[in-house]
Amino acid sequence: MEKIKMTTPLVEMDGDEMTRIIWQLVKDKLILPYVDLKTEYYDLGLLNRNATKDQVTIDSANAALKYGVAVKCATITPNKQRMEEYPELTEQWKSPNGTIRSIMGGTVFRTPITVDFVKPSVRSWKKPITIARHAYGDVYKAVDLETDEPGECFLTFKGESGLEVTVSVAKVNDRAVWLGQHNLEGSIRNFAKACFQYAIDLKQDLWFSSKDTISKVYDGEFKAIFEEEFKNYKDKFEELGITYFYTLIDDAIARTIRSEGGYIWACKNYDGDVMSDMISTAFGSLAMMTSVLVTPNGEYEYEAAHGTVTKHYYKHLNGETTSTNPVATIFAWSGALRKRGELDNIPALGEFSDRLEKAVFDTLYAGIMTGDLARLAEMDKPITVATTEEFIDAIAERM
Ligand code: NAP
Ligand code: MG
């Protein structure tokens, strides 16, 4: 078989621990035999981030902006314990995902990969629900204050022009706690654009929810910006037969529980934090969740939603067998290659990605899966719990 040729490199961001092992296996056994893979490789493994003083992370994010599509392996975000584990670290480097997001901008969309033998906790769900979380501001960039005597609290804005606006928050006779939060028009607008763009990519309906009946100015601004931006995407939505609709957060939750799934739900920062955990847990396994960062200009970074699976890595280092689920990592690759194919007009890359994903599903439906899924699976045939390698080999066989 002749290998599929690529024209533009994919930005490849390698990572840490068990996912780094899986990364190599997926490339060697599932991709390289079929694709003349062209990547610009960045080693985001912790030791190389340390050696380059994290410059490699910055370079990889800039490359993602230059070429438009990246695929990322999970990486360690060092904490105190990691500083002890890796004494050579000269600094407690920041989260690579945070650094990449701050350079690329954009919104993270998380989607479960569903199989019908893992029943979601919500019986009506038949298709995946994608959560888009606004990742700037609100309570995550708020200031708070506590006071313990009667008094009044004000919120004051001082403009550079000399403008000054003050509102009274409340007059109190008790101990009190206070919170000042903000958001930015540009950030909300980019969030809206990324959501509309991604709904078009996925050809799925888009919901956006907030609480503008109570928060008339603050949440009202989110609602208004979404409505304004939608005007630029309306024709494309009509052409694809998809809809945008706004509703209150409580109504969105009620509708979600009654729905069949198959749509994108855009959430404000806090709602997205909470709802993405609810959706991913209710669908089954973190190991079956993909994540893609989409910028308002249409650049993409694909990854698995889970971390580096440290516990499995230490078993692997001890020479024990592991049963780590590579599905989300494989889908990060297939998503990135499909997008590269779309942008470069190479249909063979898209077809390859479809075949790879089908081979994953064929393997799973044959009852061959890793331990995490086997624990959740309800099948009327015997289930084979495969090791990490056996599972990837079983997919390769079906390719
Ligand atoms: P984790 O790597 O997601 O793993 C937590 C647990 O979830 C595992 O111990 C395992 O449970 C299960 N699990 C996750 N992915 C799995 C898979 N593919 N197959 C089978 N089981 C899977 O989270 P963590 O242990 O909290 O974090 C480990 C490291 O990852 C940390 O250093 C963190 O900084 C990093 N991290 C990176 C990213 C990223 O790069 N995007 C995201 C999150 C965390 P059992 O042990 O019960 O089998
Ligand atoms: Mg959370």
Side-chain angles (χ1 to χ4, degrees):
M1 196 194 110
E2 203 183 318
K3 290 192 193 182
I4 302 163
K5 294 260 183 302
M6 294 175 65
T7 48
T8 316
L10 198 60
V11 177
E12 176 183 355
M13 304 167 170
D14 206 346
D16 289 301
E17 300 194 316
M18 199 59 209
T19 40
R20 188 178 178 103
I21 310 275
I22 288 174
W23 194 258
Q24 200 58 50
L25 289 171
V26 167
K27 270 174 66 180
D28 288 346
K29 297 189 171 193
L30 302 179
I31 297 171
L32 289 171
Y34 311 99
V35 181
D36 198 354
L37 190 65
K38 209 171 175 174
T39 74
E40 195 163 292
Y41 179 85
Y42 293 87
D43 181 2
L44 267 54
L46 182 56
L47 293 179
N48 194 46
R49 274 181 277 144
N50 188 61
T52 62
K53 300 200 180 319
D54 213 23
Q55 187 61 39
V56 66
T57 309
I58 296 164
D59 292 346
S60 74
N62 285 322
L65 287 177
K66 176 177 169 194
Y67 293 113
V69 189
V71 58
K72 180 180 172 289
C73 179
T75 45
I76 292 171
T77 298
N79 52 16
K80 245 180 96 189
Q81 186 206 328
R82 295 290 196 178
M83 298 301 284
E84 287 158 20
E85 186 182 347
Y86 295 91
E88 57 271 66
L89 294 187
T90 53
E91 216 176 288
Q92 195 169 324
W93 304 106
K94 282 192 283 191
S95 151
N97 288 61
T99 302
I100 292 166
R101 205 179 308 140
S102 73
I103 293 171
M104 292 183 69
T107 299
V108 173
F109 296 84
R110 284 180 141 207
T111 310
I113 302 157
T114 54
V115 281
D116 63 17
F117 56 83
V118 175
K119 303 269 180 281
S121 312
V122 179
R123 271 174 298 165
S124 62
W125 289 353
K126 296 195 170 63
K127 288 173 264 174
I129 296 168
T130 297
I131 294 276
R133 173 184 171 187
H134 184 216
Y136 177 83
D138 300 354
V139 75
Y140 302 86
K141 265 204 186 318
V143 288
D144 48 14
L145 176 72
E146 56 177 311
T147 54
D148 58 5
E149 64 178 277
E152 188 170 4
C153 185
F154 299 92
L155 186 63
T156 300
F157 173 81
K158 289 185 178 175
E160 285 188 351
S161 68
L163 168 84
E164 195 168 314
V165 203
T166 296
V167 288
S168 168
V169 179
K171 217 172 183 166
V172 295
N173 283 315
D174 197 352
R175 277 195 67 223
V177 283
W178 312 88
L179 178 79
Q181 65 177 46
H182 79 285
N183 223 298
L184 300 172
E185 179 184 345
S187 171
I188 303 168
R189 201 171 288 286
N190 281 344
F191 174 54
K193 284 183 187 167
C195 290
F196 289 122
Q197 181 57 49
Y198 200 59
I200 289 168
D201 286 356
L202 255 52
K203 301 181 184 62
Q204 286 187 353
D205 292 346
L206 176 70
W207 301 10
F208 174 55
S209 58
S210 76
K211 192 72 181 178
D212 69 299
T213 43
I214 303 298
S215 171
K216 290 190 168 64
V217 172
Y218 198 105
D219 283 15
E221 181 73 4
F222 277 78
K223 180 183 176 184
I225 288 174
F226 264 75
E227 262 161 31
E228 252 172 62
E229 282 301 322
F230 181 54
K231 291 189 187 120
N232 302 321
Y233 298 88
K234 201 165 187 276
D235 292 347
K236 192 73 193 166
F237 267 56
E238 271 167 18
E239 189 188 315
L240 294 172
I242 55 175
T243 55
Y244 163 64
F245 107 102
Y246 171 83
T247 189
L248 290 170
I249 177 76
D250 30 6
D251 179 53
I253 291 170
R255 282 173 189 261
T256 292
I257 300 299
R258 287 195 307 261
S259 79
E260 285 198 353
Y263 55 89
I264 300 165
W265 179 8
C267 292
K268 288 183 60 200
N269 209 348
Y270 174 81
D271 299 339
D273 184 350
V274 179
M275 286 304 137
S276 71
D277 280 2
M278 191 270 282
I279 297 283
S280 63
T281 309
F283 268 109
S285 167
L286 183 61
M288 296 287 280
M289 179 77 68
T290 60
S291 177
V292 53
L293 175 70
V294 182
T295 72
N297 299 325
E299 290 114 359
Y300 297 77
E301 181 251 303
Y302 292 83
E303 60 180 279
H306 59 78
T308 58
V309 213
T310 310
K311 275 193 237 156
H312 296 212
Y313 180 60
Y314 279 94
K315 277 176 77 178
H316 169 83
L317 288 184
N318 277 331
E320 291 171 55
T321 58
T322 56
S323 186
T324 314
N325 190 337
V327 170
T329 299
I330 296 170
F331 275 63
W333 275 98
S334 58
L337 287 169
R338 182 183 290 114
K339 178 56 71 182
R340 197 64 273 168
E342 255 172 58
L343 296 178
D344 295 347
N345 199 15
I346 307 173
L349 274 181
E351 286 153 20
F352 168 77
S353 299
D354 294 345
R355 265 203 313 282
L356 176 55
E357 291 176 3
K358 180 170 185 299
V360 170
F361 285 123
D362 287 350
T363 307
L364 294 172
Y365 282 103
I368 304 167
M369 61 194 77
T370 47
D372 58 304
L373 272 188
R375 279 194 293 276
L376 302 168
E378 294 171 39
M379 270 183 146
D380 48 13
K381 65 168 83 157
I383 292 172
T384 310
V385 180
T387 64
T388 312
E389 289 223 20
E390 284 166 356
F391 182 67
I392 292 173
D393 285 340
I395 299 167
E397 227 166 81
R398 284 162 180 80
M399 289 293 287

